[in-house]
Amino acid sequence: MKNNGFIKPVVDKTHYVLGGSISTLPTKIIRPDGDWRKSLPKGELQALPGFDTFNCTGFGSTNIVEPYMKEVFGVDVNFSDRDVGIIAGTKPPGNDPHTVMQAIRDNGLIEEFLLPFDSTLQNSDEYFSYKGADKEACDKARQAWHDKYDFKHEWVFTPTENPGEEEIHNMKVALKYSPLGVSVYAWQKDGRGYYVNIGEPNHWTVLYCYDDLKRIFDTYEPFLKDVDQPIWFCKRISIELKSPPNIVEEKQDLWSQFWGWLLKEINIFKYFYDKK
């Protein structure tokens, strides 16, 4: 079975799960219809002829963030999947999507133009490096994004090899909050033209709608796929603005200055009053 970059996660009790006892993500409805197709970014291939990045977890994660940013913040942005792979420590044969999303939470994101994926890169060693880029500029831009945004992620349900009605319900509810990262078997069509599984998940991609079928936005052509297979692993995200520390400190400093001035004026008044 070909591996496209998905490493099966080991889920433990510290991982957040939608509706679970340690879930802390907001449940603000962003897309009431659960259909994100109008906000999807331009399709990007995770492989060039003769060279696959094995970075489906990086591509899949940014392809969740980008439509979310467009809907919530009105920002049309293309993030560097390559940088996500680097900060997450991704190497062939791939990575665990939980590790990758945690790397985004801990470090932040940068735009594609700072660290692009193009034909000048010949192998995975070059891809997972800062070849052709300014590493210091990437580090500064990533930190600036991290300082501005609070990125969180959680499992939509406790991962299972036998998803049922509860898992399907959770996915349809979670699509109101964000696009979803999902594990799939890639890619085998049946006689109906739908993509089905003939083995364990080997790819991480994006579920942007779930009606009669699972609608997938992918990193192999065709970018839009109709899928009829069970989802074993599924994640959603949340992004909120952080309170800028410098503004808080400035307000606190102005308040301190005011009290200092007031106390000084009171002491001066008291001095002349006592002299009388």
Side-chain angles (χ1 to χ4, degrees):
M1 182 180 73
K2 181 185 176 184
N3 178 24
N4 297 282
F6 173 77
I7 302 296
K8 191 174 178 179
V10 176
V11 181
D12 64 41
K13 62 183 180 181
T14 66
H15 292 185
Y16 293 176
V17 179
L18 177 64
S21 59
I22 61 170
S23 174
T24 62
L25 272 66
T27 53
K28 180 181 178 181
I29 293 176
I30 310 300
R31 290 292 317 173
D33 61 359
D35 189 342
W36 295 79
R37 76 186 71 209
K38 292 182 180 179
S39 300
L40 292 175
K42 180 181 178 182
E44 294 177 309
L45 294 169
Q46 74 169 64
L48 295 177
F51 169 41
D52 196 313
T53 66
F54 293 96
N55 192 28
C56 67
T57 49
F59 280 87
S61 297
T62 60
N63 283 343
I64 300 170
V65 174
E66 288 163 9
Y68 187 97
M69 295 288 291
K70 189 172 184 178
E71 287 279 348
V72 176
F73 301 105
V75 178
D76 198 351
V77 62
N78 182 16
F79 291 112
S80 171
D81 324 283
R82 184 179 164 197
D83 187 66
V84 172
I86 292 173
I87 63 173
T90 304
K91 297 289 183 184
N95 210 337
D96 160 4
H98 181 84
T99 298
V100 172
M101 288 199 181
Q102 194 62 30
I104 295 173
R105 181 177 184 179
D106 293 341
N107 298 277
L109 293 163
I110 66 171
E111 294 193 48
E112 177 75 12
F113 74 87
L114 289 168
L115 192 66
F117 174 35
D118 55 36
S119 59
T120 64
L121 304 171
Q122 301 299 311
N123 53 57
S124 60
D125 287 338
E126 291 182 353
Y127 177 80
F128 292 114
S129 76
Y130 289 95
K131 178 184 176 182
D134 184 337
K135 182 179 183 304
E136 184 178 353
C138 291
D139 291 342
K140 288 181 178 179
R142 192 185 313 106
Q143 185 62 52
W145 195 92
H146 182 265
D147 289 344
K148 184 175 182 179
Y149 296 104
D150 185 17
F151 174 90
K152 294 180 181 178
H153 59 99
E154 70 178 1
W155 297 111
V156 172
F157 50 83
T158 301
T160 175
E161 297 180 12
N162 298 294
E165 290 300 318
E166 182 179 352
E167 288 75 24
I168 292 171
H169 170 76
N170 278 19
M171 282 190 281
K172 290 183 176 182
V173 169
L175 276 167
K176 297 178 181 181
Y177 309 142
S178 82
L180 306 179
V182 293
S183 65
V184 295
Y185 179 87
W187 285 113
Q188 181 68 45
K189 270 188 180 182
D190 67 5
R192 302 167 298 168
Y194 301 151
Y195 292 89
V196 296
N197 69 311
I198 57 172
E200 292 192 359
N202 61 358
H203 186 45
W204 187 250
T205 188
V206 176
L207 179 67
Y208 68 85
C209 180
Y210 192 166
D211 39 39
D212 55 323
L213 289 168
K214 302 172 184 74
R215 312 295 179 175
I216 294 294
F217 178 62
D218 195 39
T219 49
Y220 296 102
E221 293 181 318
F223 293 120
L224 300 182
K225 294 180 169 74
D226 295 334
V227 171
D228 187 13
Q229 56 176 278
I231 302 298
W232 293 14
F233 299 89
C234 181
K235 278 215 180 245
R236 69 131 174 164
I237 66 166
S238 171
I239 306 173
E240 296 179 302
L241 287 171
K242 293 180 178 177
S243 298
N246 59 327
I247 294 177
V248 174
E249 291 169 4
E250 183 180 341
K251 287 181 178 178
Q252 289 175 340
D253 187 58
L254 289 171
W255 188 246
S256 298
Q257 290 179 32
F258 169 75
W259 275 110
W261 170 83
L262 184 60
L263 289 171
K264 180 180 177 182
E265 293 299 312
I266 290 172
N267 287 334
I268 292 173
F269 176 80
K270 185 173 181 297
Y271 170 80
F272 285 106
Y273 181 82
D274 291 341
K275 292 278 287 182
K276 292 181 179 180

